[in-house]
Amino acid sequence: MTTALTPLKPYSREWLLSDRPASRRQARLGRAYVIWRRFSENRLALAGLGIIAALVLVAIFANVLAPHSPVQGDLRNARLLPPGSAGYWLGTDDQGRDILSRLIHGSRLTLFVVMLVAIIAAPVGLIVGTVAGYAGGWVDAVLMRITDIFLAFPKLVLALALVAALGPGIENAVLAIAVTSWPPYARIARAETMTFRNSDFIAAIKLMGASPWRIVLKHVMPLCMSSLIVRVTLDMAGIILTAAGLGFLGLGAQPPLPEWGAMIASGRRFILDQWWVAAMPGIAILIVSLGFNLLGDGLRDALDPKEAGQ
């Protein structure tokens, strides 16, 4: 136990796990340490974190790691070469381009899509959900009916309609996916808000004179972040699949950009004889989606408030 005679060394394990933190910084660091310790006990979650970390590193150092150009190929000497050919570890496509180099550079587009969708959709869903849950009444009814309208359409169908209206392109694809992704976040934030809307600490904050907007922004939204982070992480796989679906249909990233869905579309003509052209980007999508799912499962267990007291 912490006593005046035995002060704890800052950042030590005992200091982080102290049940009587001396400052907010110590309390926050202790909470982060507990979450990380619980997360690190899940080997599958660590595997998912490793996959996503590898994806980020590959995207950052794509120019260094890629052995060939992702957009230029050798039609005369390197068309549809199988994996393991000289200088082409994963083979080449119908334009003589190195599939490995295109996968490496395509990781940048994948991260670009998932990060922008998360940055756009998550805050919108958080704001709509917390405002609806805290305000109640007609505000809640109007916001939730708008949310229900978006939820009534399948994500891919609605995204296809929006991209068809806006025009093909990676930016329009990101916007379309973001528009279809925020409603589940609003539902989660609303449910979380309604669980503690009438709690004692909210009543105490009201007595101190805090405005409704300050209560929502400073006290309600932070309490919803754990559930929102878990849901966003789990949704990353679906976002990748939706972006790949738009690319497969020619509505996402346009040639010659190395987008994984578009790579599968260009390789479907050779699926029987030159299977690697479509299989390699498909495997990349599978691995990255699996990584996000494993990471999301680990975060769900680590951030579960029911586990906080254990």
Side-chain angles (χ1 to χ4, degrees):
M1 295 180 58
T2 306
T3 63
L5 299 177
T6 58
L8 297 177
K9 183 179 180 180
Y11 304 106
S12 65
R13 183 176 181 275
E14 292 77 11
W15 183 81
L16 292 171
L17 296 178
S18 174
D19 56 354
R20 295 181 180 179
S23 63
R24 290 185 178 181
R25 180 173 63 90
Q26 182 180 357
R28 291 171 180 171
L29 291 175
R31 172 63 176 164
Y33 175 75
V34 171
I35 292 174
W36 168 251
R37 188 176 65 174
R38 204 153 50 225
F39 178 84
S40 61
E41 293 175 354
N42 189 333
R43 294 185 178 181
L44 291 177
L46 290 177
L49 179 61
I51 292 173
I52 303 308
L55 176 69
V56 173
L57 292 176
V58 167
I60 293 174
F61 299 104
N63 292 330
V64 178
L65 297 174
H68 301 279
S69 170
V71 296
Q72 296 180 352
D74 186 357
L75 276 172
R76 291 185 177 181
N77 304 315
R79 184 174 184 273
L80 295 175
L81 293 179
S85 301
Y88 302 101
W89 292 358
L90 299 183
T92 59
D93 61 9
D94 59 317
Q95 301 295 320
R97 296 171 297 194
D98 180 39
I99 293 178
L100 175 60
S101 299
R102 289 178 62 77
L103 290 179
I104 291 174
H105 282 271
S107 64
R108 290 182 170 179
L109 291 176
T110 300
L111 282 179
F112 174 78
V113 170
V114 297
M115 293 301 296
L116 276 186
V117 170
I119 291 173
I120 297 172
V124 171
L126 180 63
I127 293 172
V128 171
T130 52
V131 170
Y134 183 78
W138 67 269
V139 175
D140 181 27
V142 170
L143 292 178
M144 286 301 101
R145 296 301 77 76
I146 295 174
T147 303
D148 291 339
I149 292 173
F150 280 90
L151 288 173
F153 296 93
K155 282 187 178 181
L156 184 57
V157 174
L158 185 56
L160 285 172
L162 292 173
V163 174
L166 297 173
I170 188 67
E171 295 84 3
N172 291 338
V174 169
L175 181 59
I177 297 172
V179 169
T180 62
S181 298
W182 68 266
Y185 308 148
R187 280 292 185 184
I188 291 176
R190 176 180 179 271
E192 291 283 337
T193 302
M194 294 185 69
T195 58
F196 46 76
R197 179 178 62 184
N198 298 320
S199 59
D200 293 340
F201 79 95
I202 294 293
I205 296 170
K206 290 180 180 179
L207 291 175
M208 294 174 64
S211 65
W213 279 109
R214 180 177 178 83
I215 294 174
V216 171
L217 293 174
K218 297 292 185 179
H219 303 281
V220 175
M221 285 188 180
L223 292 174
C224 300
M225 288 302 296
S226 297
S227 299
L228 191 67
I229 290 173
V230 173
R231 181 58 190 262
V232 169
T233 306
L234 290 172
D235 281 353
M236 290 301 182
I239 292 171
I240 293 173
L241 292 176
T242 303
L246 293 176
F248 183 87
L249 297 174
L251 298 176
Q254 298 300 297
L257 291 177
E259 199 274 326
W260 293 349
M263 291 174 64
I264 296 177
S266 65
R268 72 183 186 276
R269 296 173 296 167
F270 317 101
I271 192 66
L272 295 179
D273 297 323
Q274 289 82 27
W275 54 268
W276 58 88
V277 181
M280 295 305 176
I283 293 173
I285 293 173
L286 171 64
I287 293 175
V288 174
S289 300
L290 178 63
F292 275 114
N293 284 332
L294 293 177
L295 178 62
D297 286 338
L299 289 176
R300 180 184 58 193
D301 295 339
L303 295 173
D304 187 358
K306 296 179 182 179
E307 302 288 340
Q310 298 181 3

